[in-house]
Amino acid sequence: MSDGIRVRFAPSPTGHLHVGGARTALYNWLYARKTGGAFILRIEDTDAARSSEESVRGILEGLRWLGLDWDEGPDVGGPHAPYFQSERRELYQAEAARLVAEGGAYPCFCAPEAVEAIREAERAAGRDPNYDGRCGRIPPGEAARRVAAGEPHVIRFRSPDEGETLLFDVIRGKMAFRNELLEDFVLVKGDGLPTYNFAVVVDDDAMGITHVIRGDDHISNSPRHVLLYQALGYKLPKFAHLPMILGADKTRLSKRHGATSVQEFEKQGILPAGMMNYLALLGWSLDGKTELFTPRKLVEAFSLKRVGSNPSVFDPDKLAWLSGEHFTRLSDDEKAAGIHAFLTGQGLALPPLDAIRPRLAALVGLMGKRIKSWPEAAERLGHFFRERPDYDPEAVAEHLGGEAAGRLADLAGRLAGVAPWEAGAIEAALRERAEAMGIEAAALIHPLRVAVTGRSVSPDIFSVCELLGSDLTRARLTGRGWEG
Ligand code: GLU
């Protein structure tokens, strides 16, 4: 493993895997795969009230769907297991106890209301509403006796009152934070569970994380982390804070902007490779112009140096476009498997994939390059597997009124004699009937297309009939399914 690079994605399982989290996971994964390092997945579930197993499952599924795999973490295990923070409590407690013994932290016995009153008083005195550190002045012996007697308490970090804490960020360069603005923040809560700020530092060190790559919403936490690394005697990792993702109105991307969870895009039929490609471009670029990358090319091209610090705007149209580009590059066989999965997901009872794979691949081949997503493909092909097509009322009104039904019944009679059942022979039979009826071939082809597919647009209709088979084609011509 070159350089021993170890990165992690550390989601809090309190909801879906959203675009921002997926991008963070992807950049960590790309960096690990590019450098031959390790990608670790750690679940930060210390907020018992907000965490759920369902959310853990959703996040893992979302990551897998995107095409990411992890070297250590849930399901795969690893040398630093467990990878759920809720199962690592002893470690945090031991490190907190060590810090208290060394003077870097102290038990605080102030009840939440008392802390609130202190903040109020500070505010009234024109200062920042920070906890004033009073329990830090209790002599250690006395504090230890009160803890031993079972008095409720939290553990607070003894944060310096003066000077600056420096952060060297790979993306943003050097940042300085004034220590006087930081209060003595809580490391371990009254229930014995660690806060995010404490657990993240203890775990990143224990798991040997060399690069902390995460969203820039964590920048304000970073000085606390740096101070903790120093107080605990840990080696500082490198930090890289990824630029914010905005909605079209330039505010932070949120539900208000529409679909934001990876699963929603999966349901829309976005391809994982398209999603990965698009997420990669939200903050990173190779040369400012290349847009289309396969996952393999991304791994080759990715570097943290080319991640910018400016926010990027999430553009669902561009995501759909990129997904379409990846779609057209799939082989017919891959499309056949994908369309099978998509139609099955829509509740259509299809024969097993292996039973219809060649026919599906042939159908998909007919669609050509115009089709760019699973929903579009389902729209074109769904009728093959339905009892009767789902008729488009406009197409029916335009092409199946008047004499059309009678002509189609006539055509069906002629088609009964077509053998072998092949596109060319079907077309010849149709043209012959049109001539006999004294009408243009088009006046029979359009009704045929709508009667068979339900739509006024389809791939070559004679090939469609060939693949559908003689019985089904004729049943659709005579069954008048479009009438109700
Ligand atoms: N658990 C944190 C979150 O979901 C991430 C922590 C980190 O990357 O440092 O926002």
Side-chain angles (χ1 to χ4, degrees), residues 25 28 35-36 40 78 98 120 129 143 225 321 333 470 475:
N28 277 283
T35 58
I40 290 125
R98 178 166 73 84
E120 254 332 297
H225 299 171
W321 173 77
D333 196 52
S470 174

Side-chain angles (χ1 to χ4, degrees), residues 74 97 102 148 198 205 218 242 263 267 269 284 349 384 405 446 479 482 484:
E102 292 169 3
F198 187 50
D205 178 74
H218 286 292
L242 307 176
Q263 262 111 346
K267 282 203 196 86
W284 169 87
F384 272 94
H446 290 308
W482 58 87

Side-chain angles (χ1 to χ4, degrees), residues 170-215:
V170 176
I171 295 166
R172 281 150 213 269
K174 183 165 128 183
M175 286 183 274
F177 299 86
R178 279 162 53 215
N179 290 336
E180 64 184 298
L181 298 179
L182 284 184
E183 70 171 3
D184 287 358
F185 54 95
V186 174
L187 302 180
V188 180
K189 295 176 277 189
D191 59 6
L193 284 171
T195 56
Y196 155 69
N197 283 315
F198 187 50
V200 78
V201 169
V202 170
D203 279 344
D204 281 343
D205 178 74
M207 296 182 178
I209 300 303
T210 58
H211 294 68
V212 170
I213 304 170
R214 63 184 169 201

Side-chain angles (χ1 to χ4, degrees), residues 378-398:
E379 162 80 18
R380 297 288 169 101
L381 301 184
H383 73 86
F384 272 94
F385 305 101
R386 293 198 163 89
E387 180 95 3
R388 67 184 198 95
D390 150 32
Y391 287 97
D392 168 18
E394 267 180 45
V396 169
E398 195 178 343

Side-chain angles (χ1 to χ4, degrees), residues 85-333:
Q85 286 191 328
S86 58
E87 296 168 20
R88 300 170 62 82
R89 224 192 251 234
E90 285 88 44
L91 174 63
Y92 313 126
Q93 276 165 355
E95 285 302 77
R98 178 166 73 84
L99 212 49
V100 169
E102 292 169 3
Y106 58 86
C108 168
F109 304 97
C110 298
E113 312 78 63
V115 174
E116 228 9 83
I118 293 167
R119 291 195 200 288
E120 254 332 297
E122 291 289 304
R123 202 177 282 123
R127 290 188 288 267
D128 284 326
N130 288 341
Y131 177 67
D132 64 1
R134 66 182 61 184
C135 285
R137 294 186 284 276
I138 299 173
E142 183 189 330
R145 267 195 304 282
R146 288 170 68 173
V147 169
E151 192 172 336
H153 65 281
V154 300
I155 307 285
R156 284 183 186 273
F157 182 63
R158 201 184 293 278
S159 157
D161 298 327
E162 291 160 4
E164 286 186 332
T165 296
L166 296 180
L167 177 73
F168 295 92
D169 188 276
V170 176
I171 295 166
R172 281 150 213 269
K174 183 165 128 183
M175 286 183 274
F177 299 86
R178 279 162 53 215
N179 290 336
E180 64 184 298
L181 298 179
L182 284 184
E183 70 171 3
D184 287 358
F185 54 95
V186 174
L187 302 180
V188 180
K189 295 176 277 189
D191 59 6
L193 284 171
T195 56
Y196 155 69
N197 283 315
F198 187 50
V200 78
V201 169
V202 170
D203 279 344
D204 281 343
D205 178 74
M207 296 182 178
I209 300 303
T210 58
H211 294 68
V212 170
I213 304 170
R214 63 184 169 201
D216 68 0
D217 47 326
H218 286 292
I219 286 189
S220 59
N221 288 318
S222 309
R224 296 183 181 84
H225 299 171
V226 172
L227 287 167
L228 273 171
Y229 274 95
Q230 291 164 347
L232 288 158
Y234 297 161
K235 184 169 180 302
L236 264 181
K238 292 202 165 63
F239 289 93
H241 286 94
L242 307 176
M244 206 185 285
I245 303 177
L246 308 176
D249 60 357
K250 304 287 160 72
T251 61
R252 186 180 279 278
L253 187 69
S254 74
K255 279 243 161 285
R256 285 180 297 113
H257 297 104
T260 52
S261 87
V262 165
Q263 262 111 346
E264 282 171 285
F265 293 112
E266 178 182 1
K267 282 203 196 86
Q268 286 179 13
I270 294 290
L271 292 194
M275 189 84 209
M276 183 189 279
N277 191 159
Y278 184 63
L279 289 175
L281 299 180
L282 281 177
W284 169 87
S285 92
L286 174 64
D287 51 15
K289 49 181 200 289
T290 313
E291 297 197 297
L292 198 68
F293 292 89
T294 60
R296 200 166 52 82
K297 284 269 178 249
L298 276 178
V299 169
E300 261 168 52
F302 187 77
S303 79
L304 282 179
K305 287 198 192 69
R306 300 277 318 168
V307 176
S309 54
N310 290 332
S312 20
V313 174
F314 184 76
D315 177 356
D317 294 337
K318 184 153 178 198
L319 166 62
W321 173 77
L322 269 175
S323 177
E325 290 303 304
H326 284 274
F327 191 91
T328 58
R329 285 165 175 77
L330 295 176
S331 68
D332 287 352
D333 196 52

